[in-house]
Amino acid sequence: MAIAKQVSSNLEWRINVPDGTSERLVPESGAVLKLWLRLKSLLEGMILKIYKFLYKAWKLAVAEPKKVIHGIKVGLAISLVSIFYYMRPLSEGVGGNAMWAIMTVVVVFESTIGATFCKCINRAIGTSLAGSLGVGVHWIASHSSKDMEPIIIGASVFVLVSAATFSRFMPAIKSRFDYGVLIFILTFSLISVSGYRVDKLFEMAHQRLSTIAIGTSLCIIVSIVVCPIWAGGELHQLICLNLEKLACSLDECVAEFFKDNKTLSTADIEEDCRKKMLRYKCVLNTKATEESMARFARWEPAHGRFNFRHPWKQYLKIGASMRNCAYCIETLSGCVNSKIQAPIHLKNHLKRICLRLSTTSSNVLKELTSTMKTMKKSSKIELLVGEMSFAVEELRNAMKSIPNHLIITTPSSSESHPGEANTEPMTKITAPPPFMEIIPLATMVSMLIENAARIEGIVKAVDELAAMAKFKPVTDKKPNHTHTHTHSTKIHTSDNQDHDQTMKTPPKV
């Protein structure tokens, strides 16, 4: 150990570096360069976000141009109202309250004419009613003693505001006059707490009503004149579009269930089914839109094919019937995506009848779509409903014969003598398929039958709408054809009579 320590102490480590090859290490980037890189990345990120925002805005404008039109209409209305600031006679007429006209436009202008009408009328009624009551309360308080004046004003504010707030929970008030009640509470409170005299209140009320009248009038004129969007027309178009989606989804779901060769992968099937589900899911998600459109459509004047008292509530009944039908189609789509499949021979036994029922059902929905679009009564809807009912009965009879398809008959395996026919085949009874394998097929059949019954509910609702709205009957051209056929028959008969008369009359010599 002593020798090893002595040897190690004599060892030295040396590194020879050639002269002139050593360099001083310099940092790769300084603080200025780092700051520039960070600033550059920040600017690039902001530019990229702005580009993505503009791209999304452009896509939205292309997909829904009505929103762009609504923005232009609001800008036009505010520009017209701002004229009152630049034109001196008009500005002096309304005083310094011209800003309320701009606020009125911003608050009441909506995308549809019905919604704009609703808010304009609510704002005008709420402001005028609150102004008159406020002036009356101030007049009563001013003619009483000084001690009673704050008590009268405070008690009136408490009673009227409490009653108005409670009325907002009533369905009849909330559906049509909720905005007007809110304006009433705001205006009455502002007038009550103001310390103006009665004569000043009259002047302020006059100016306020003038500016609100100007703002609401311009909103109504611009919404009607510039690219009008009627809530009633949008509701009518939405119902027609939903009927088309139901018919398309019904056909595709049944066809996919009875498809023979499913060569697609599981992911492709799921993606395809998801796209199909979106068609009828739109019907399930439009309840709130239908209710709001029907509520605003009642405020609209007569326009186009819609009269003043058009039965807009009946559209809600049609929408409810369509949603009941969409629930059945959703169950059918679940059967398509089920991993448990029924035996092939049972599906083949019911394939033709189920496809026929789905076709007749979709034909009824398509005919209802045509009836709604043209607003004319259909002449063949009863025939199509009869075909659908016949297909339902045929499917029920086919379900009764399913136990016979669980029995497979095979020829006898015994050898027959030459020249002798084997007249006694051996019947082989197979075991029924598992119960879980029959569930998707049974669900499919039951939902098709239930869907047909719910489609009849849609037919009834559309017939009621046709009677209420007085749809025009379809011009029947059969009498003309009958008349033409009768006329041609007469001509043909007369020709035959002339021919017979010629044959009977002997030729003259």
Side-chain angles (χ1 to χ4, degrees):
M1 293 293 295
I3 298 173
K5 288 182 179 181
Q6 185 177 2
V7 172
S8 60
S9 61
N10 295 329
L11 293 177
E12 292 182 359
W13 293 92
R14 295 180 182 181
I15 299 175
N16 296 326
V17 178
D19 296 337
T21 58
S22 60
E23 296 181 358
R24 186 177 180 182
L25 296 178
V26 181
E28 296 180 358
S29 59
V32 177
L33 183 58
K34 289 182 179 180
L35 181 61
W36 164 248
L37 292 176
R38 288 184 180 180
L39 183 61
K40 182 180 178 182
S41 62
L42 181 62
L43 291 175
E44 289 178 353
M46 291 179 62
I47 294 173
L48 183 61
K49 289 182 179 179
I50 294 173
Y51 173 76
K52 289 181 179 179
F53 174 77
L54 294 177
Y55 180 71
K56 290 180 180 179
W58 174 259
K59 288 181 65 177
L60 179 62
V62 172
E64 299 182 16
K66 292 181 181 179
K67 295 182 178 180
V68 180
I69 295 173
H70 174 64
I72 295 173
K73 290 164 68 174
V74 173
L76 178 61
I78 293 179
S79 299
L80 293 176
V81 171
S82 63
I83 294 176
F84 290 94
Y85 273 117
Y86 299 110
M87 298 179 67
R88 188 168 211 144
L90 297 177
S91 178
E92 292 177 355
V94 296
N97 293 317
M99 181 60 68
W100 284 97
I102 297 177
M103 293 180 63
T104 301
V105 173
V106 174
V107 172
V108 306
F109 208 114
E110 295 291 337
S111 58
T112 60
I113 296 176
T116 304
F117 261 93
C118 177
K119 281 199 168 184
C120 289
I121 295 174
N122 272 271
R123 188 174 183 85
I125 294 175
T127 303
S128 59
L129 184 60
S132 59
L133 287 176
V135 172
V137 169
H138 262 275
W139 184 83
I140 294 173
S142 62
H143 284 74
S144 61
S145 61
K146 293 184 178 180
D147 296 334
M148 291 296 296
E149 183 175 358
I151 298 175
I152 293 174
I153 294 177
S156 63
V157 170
F158 173 76
V159 173
L160 292 177
V161 170
S162 299
T165 304
F166 175 76
S167 67
R168 296 183 66 189
F169 294 101
M170 302 174 64
I173 300 296
K174 187 175 182 60
S175 61
R176 304 189 69 178
F177 303 105
D178 184 71
Y179 180 70
V181 174
L182 184 65
I183 294 298
F184 171 82
I185 295 173
L186 177 63
T187 305
F188 183 78
S189 301
L190 291 176
I191 291 176
S192 299
V193 299
S194 63
Y196 294 116
R197 297 191 303 272
V198 177
D199 54 350
K200 291 290 184 179
L201 287 177
F202 272 114
E203 183 181 356
M204 184 181 69
H206 170 70
Q207 293 178 353
R208 186 71 56 82
L209 289 175
S210 300
T211 54
I212 290 176
I214 292 169
T216 54
S217 300
L218 284 175
C219 288
I220 293 173
I221 292 172
V222 171
S223 62
I224 293 177
V225 174
V226 182
C227 298
I229 301 175
W230 301 93
E234 294 292 317
L235 176 61
H236 188 85
Q237 186 179 0
L238 178 62
I239 295 296
C240 296
L241 186 61
N242 287 343
L243 284 171
E244 291 180 353
K245 291 179 180 179
L246 286 180
C248 184
S249 297
L250 178 60
D251 280 338
E252 291 187 357
C253 285
V254 179
E256 182 68 23
F257 182 81
F258 290 99
K259 196 173 181 180
D260 294 331
N261 49 352
K262 296 186 177 181
T263 57
L264 296 176
S265 61
T266 306
D268 294 335
I269 293 176
E270 291 179 356
E271 181 66 20
D272 192 24
C273 292
R274 188 184 66 83
K275 291 180 180 179
K276 294 175 184 176
M277 288 175 62
L278 290 177
R279 296 181 182 178
Y280 68 82
K281 277 191 173 182
C282 294
V283 182
L284 300 175
N285 299 329
T286 55
K287 181 180 179 181
T289 305
E290 292 172 4
E291 290 178 352
S292 63
M293 286 184 178
R295 183 172 66 252
F296 294 140
R298 286 182 287 175
W299 291 91
E300 294 177 346
H303 59 280
R305 299 178 294 175
F306 309 107
N307 298 325
F308 179 70
R309 298 186 63 83
H310 192 76
W312 298 113
K313 288 185 178 180
Q314 188 62 27
Y315 284 85
L316 300 180
K317 296 182 180 179
I318 298 175
S321 300
M322 287 193 299
R323 277 187 290 276
N324 291 334
C325 183
Y327 291 136
C328 288
I329 299 177
E330 187 173 18
T331 308
L332 294 177
S333 179
C335 296
V336 173
N337 298 328
S338 178
K339 295 181 180 180
I340 303 174
Q341 296 297 327
I344 298 177
H345 65 280
L346 293 181
K347 292 180 69 173
N348 292 335
H349 172 61
L350 299 174
K351 178 180 178 180
R352 181 186 61 84
I353 307 172
C354 290
L355 289 176
R356 181 181 178 185
L357 178 56
S358 67
T359 302
T360 54
S361 301
S362 63
N363 288 337
V364 173
L365 292 174
K366 292 175 183 177
E367 185 63 23
L368 292 177
T369 305
S370 177
T371 301
M372 292 291 295
K373 285 183 176 180
T374 59
M375 296 187 71
K376 293 182 180 179
K377 296 181 179 178
S378 174
S379 60
K380 55 182 180 180
I381 188 65
E382 295 181 358
L383 177 62
L384 294 175
V385 172
E387 291 179 356
M388 184 179 65
S389 301
F390 180 77
V392 169
E393 293 298 327
E394 189 177 5
L395 181 57
R396 287 175 178 170
N397 295 332
M399 288 294 293
K400 294 177 182 179
S401 63
I402 279 184
N404 298 330
H405 286 263
L406 300 178
I407 301 174
I408 302 176
T409 303
T410 58
S412 177
S413 59
S414 60
E415 297 181 357
S416 59
H417 297 286
E420 295 182 359
N422 188 7
T423 59
E424 296 181 358
M426 183 180 66
T427 302
K428 181 182 178 182
I429 302 177
T430 61
F435 179 73
M436 295 298 296
E437 294 183 359
I438 306 177
I439 288 179
L441 182 61
T443 305
M444 171 67 69
V445 172
S446 62
M447 284 297 103
L448 280 176
I449 296 175
E450 179 65 23
N451 184 62
R454 297 187 180 187
I455 288 176
E456 291 181 0
I458 301 177
V459 174
K460 183 179 178 181
V462 173
D463 289 340
E464 291 177 358
L465 175 64
M468 292 179 181
K470 298 179 180 180
F471 282 8
K472 296 180 181 179
V474 178
T475 55
D476 194 1
K477 298 183 180 180
K478 290 183 179 180
N480 296 333
H481 292 298
T482 305
H483 178 72
T484 306
H485 178 69
T486 306
H487 182 65
S488 62
T489 304
K490 289 181 179 180
I491 295 175
H492 183 69
T493 305
S494 62
D495 292 341
N496 291 337
Q497 290 178 355
D498 295 340
H499 179 70
D500 294 340
Q501 188 68 24
T502 305
M503 293 297 293
K504 290 179 181 180
T505 305
K508 295 182 180 181
V509 180

